[in-house]
Amino acid sequence: MTRKGRPRRGCGPMSSTAKQARMIADQLRASGLESIDLGRLTNPTDQLRAQLAVARPLYESSLTRFLRQAWPIIEPGTEFVDNWHIQYLSEWLELVTEGVVRRLAVCEPPRHMKSDLGTVVWPCWEWTRQPELQYLTSSYAETLSKTHSRKRRRLLKSSWYTSLWPGTQIDPAMDQTSFFESTAGGHMIASSVTGFATGLGGNRVIIDDPMNPKQALSDAERERLNETVKNTLLTRLNDKKRDAIVLFMQRLNVDDTVAYLTGLDDSDLPEDQIVIKSGEWTIIRLPAIAEADTVVRFPKGGRPPFVWRKGQALWEAREGLAVLRQMRLDLGEEDFSAQYLQRPQPRGGAVFKHDWLSHIYYQPPARVPVEAVIQSWDMSFKDKEGSSRTVGQVWGRYKLENYLLDEVAGQWDFTTALAQVRMLKKRWPMSMPILIEDTANGPAIISTLKSEIAGILPVTPEGSKIARAKAVTPVFESGHVWLPDPARYDFVPEFVQELTRFRGLQSKTIKTDRVDAASQAISYLERTFGLRSLVEDDSPKKVLLASRR
């Protein structure tokens, strides 16, 4: 103690200023960042100033770094699970901040952090340097918009935020859940898509899930919401040359808000690209499962490029393939394709309807009673990028019913395709005939195997792809096509997706190989067994089991 009874410096309770300096230092170290050695500075004010000088630029220069520190404030009790797509989307939002991108649409599966990152954290991050910015944020429901607004207010009022950016403060006179202002003149307004009052504007219009799945089902409701977004929200930018519009949503319909605003054509979405340009819009499309090997290039170079492999989950640590497989079964192929794969299909399907492909048998395919088993092959031996695949299917027939029993598919060279035919014949030894389309490279495989495997039958296709497909649609529509349990056989969801997406033409992204193989098989089975099945009575007939080795 000193002679006046006062504690020596450093021996008494830590002041609030010193606590703030210590807190910032701890946060920097927890993030793996360098901090100032506070032991060199004895004055708490100097300690705080020194830490702020280090911390502010680090957080202001990286939205991802800012997000990690803000996470326990906006999502208390929830673990932050990092993933590459978070850094990826953060860099695109940083480009919006920098004025490089003015129209950004992000299509992402549910619960993949698009709202917390883009609607909650990004505006607060921009306010660290520009507290005068004005925001209009909207969702399909006012309650959802208010939830996002409460998270923003909680972050802006947190001790972490106010200690680092004391100049960014919410004006106490203008502090409400759905409308608050900064003392610098900025504001953040939250409302439903249809709830904005005339006259309100902003530098940023953020549209987060403008419609829900139920609204997307109604043509009238969908059109009403799209028109509202276009004629109301898009006109509210303060400076239409420099300000920005950002849209976040899961895809719901081929005519949803993303398609309506950007002109995006869902009939030919590339499988191996996650960035699509459409007019002035940049569209980021992140499916829950990679549809093809995709080279991911970070727009600002925050990470080196890498290959997102076909079949890998977008966020394995949170929603891995097992979770997504169950979600696919729960939602059905149509809704899963839209909401999780960001690939909406014409409602009900185009040529082949979803309802026609809902007949499932649950016994193992090898135990299905049949009168005949055949194979149907659509051949292509080019294994370069963009080429069509080889698809081989095994079908069984009993009375009027047609059963898909097995399938193999891949982009194989000639030797591999030969091995696949031999393998499928060995697996299903009773399958005969083996139908192979006698066009393109088909004759080569027929010539090689006809003296080795009995029952190979060349098939010359008649008419166009769509004509051949439409010729067998009555068989599908009448409920006489059965598929194995999609929970056990991964090729079934892919089969359903390809058939319901089919419009008649093959492109780099729209595959028709499964359609061709199935049409070829059903056409043969109907020609061979159809009339007999109609005229025969129910008297006992020879029934076999579709034996498989």
Side-chain angles (χ1 to χ4, degrees), residues 50-329:
Q51 290 292 10
L52 292 176
V54 173
R56 279 197 191 113
L58 290 172
Y59 293 129
E60 291 175 3
S61 63
S62 170
L63 176 55
T64 305
R65 189 178 296 140
F66 181 91
L67 168 68
R68 291 192 187 101
Q69 203 60 56
W71 184 256
I73 301 170
I74 64 169
E75 293 288 352
T78 302
E79 180 187 6
F80 179 80
V81 181
D82 206 354
N83 194 56
W84 66 263
H85 81 287
I86 298 172
Q87 171 74 33
Y88 184 79
L89 292 180
S90 295
E91 291 192 17
W92 280 105
L93 290 170
E94 288 174 6
L95 291 179
V96 176
T97 298
E98 295 165 14
V100 177
V101 176
R102 295 191 310 107
R103 299 289 185 273
L104 179 67
V106 176
C107 305
E108 191 181 53
R111 314 305 299 168
H112 277 61
M113 208 187 283
K114 61 181 181 294
S115 294
D116 277 340
L117 172 60
T119 306
V120 176
V121 171
W122 177 54
C124 298
W125 177 74
E126 286 201 306
W127 262 14
T128 63
R129 290 177 292 178
Q130 296 176 280
E132 71 280 2
L133 287 178
Q134 299 177 346
Y135 297 82
L136 301 182
T137 65
S138 66
S139 297
Y140 66 87
E142 186 176 1
T143 54
L144 181 58
S145 289
K146 285 185 175 180
T147 297
H148 297 155
S149 185
R150 280 191 288 270
K151 288 183 176 182
R152 287 191 294 268
R153 289 172 73 239
R154 187 162 66 242
L155 176 56
L156 291 167
K157 292 182 175 184
S158 67
S159 59
W160 172 73
Y161 194 99
T162 55
S163 64
L164 281 165
W165 297 280
T168 300
Q169 297 182 17
I170 295 178
D171 187 344
M174 299 296 293
D175 184 9
Q176 303 174 30
T177 299
S178 57
F179 186 109
F180 55 86
E181 293 185 357
S182 70
T183 54
H187 65 230
M188 295 188 184
I189 305 174
S191 180
S192 67
V193 168
T194 59
F196 277 108
T198 304
L200 298 174
N203 308 108
R204 306 279 188 261
V205 172
I206 300 176
I207 308 166
D208 190 341
D209 283 333
M211 62 181 67
N212 62 34
K214 184 177 180 180
Q215 291 171 323
L217 288 174
S218 167
D219 292 344
E221 184 72 5
R222 194 173 59 247
E223 183 176 352
R224 182 180 72 88
L225 291 171
N226 285 339
E227 287 289 336
T228 300
V229 170
K230 177 183 177 182
N231 297 325
T232 302
L233 290 177
L234 265 59
T235 64
R236 300 301 178 86
L237 290 178
N238 293 341
D239 186 337
K240 294 178 176 57
K241 290 184 178 180
R242 293 186 294 180
D243 292 338
I245 299 170
V246 181
L247 170 62
F248 301 98
M249 70 178 295
Q250 55 184 335
R251 296 303 308 276
L252 296 171
N253 189 280
V254 293
D255 296 317
D256 60 18
T257 308
V258 170
Y260 183 81
L261 294 183
T262 68
L264 181 65
D265 182 5
D266 289 304
S267 66
D268 200 22
L269 289 176
E271 292 181 334
D272 59 348
Q273 297 178 28
I274 57 177
V275 181
I276 304 167
K277 296 288 187 178
S278 182
E280 62 181 350
W281 284 88
T282 299
I283 305 165
I284 310 301
R285 176 180 168 271
L286 294 174
I289 304 171
E291 298 177 301
D293 287 355
T294 304
V295 179
V296 178
R297 294 182 174 87
F298 289 78
K300 295 182 68 178
R303 292 188 185 184
F306 74 97
V307 178
W308 183 20
R309 294 296 180 187
K310 178 180 179 180
Q312 287 183 341
L314 172 61
W315 202 355
E316 179 65 37
R318 275 198 53 126
E319 294 199 357
L321 293 178
V323 172
L324 294 171
R325 188 177 296 114
Q326 184 60 49
M327 188 60 65
R328 194 170 205 156
L329 295 173

Side-chain angles (χ1 to χ4, degrees), residues 375 425 431-436 449-450 453-458:
Q375 291 187 31
K425 176 62 177 178
S431 58
M432 189 181 297
I434 299 173
L435 310 176
I436 299 178
L449 293 178
K450 66 181 181 180
I453 299 176
I456 290 182
L457 182 63

Side-chain angles (χ1 to χ4, degrees), residues 346-397:
R347 204 68 195 174
V351 176
F352 296 92
K353 307 301 182 184
H354 278 275
D355 290 346
W356 303 351
L357 298 164
S358 60
H359 302 282
I360 305 297
Y361 65 88
Y362 294 96
Q363 66 265 50
R367 305 303 300 171
V368 174
V370 294
E371 299 172 79
V373 178
I374 70 166
Q375 291 187 31
S376 179
W377 287 85
D378 184 76
M379 291 289 184
S380 176
F381 305 127
K382 298 177 182 178
D383 59 350
K384 64 182 181 181
E385 180 182 359
S387 66
S388 60
R389 299 158 301 179
T390 292
V391 172
Q393 296 172 348
V394 180
W395 288 84
R397 175 82 175 198

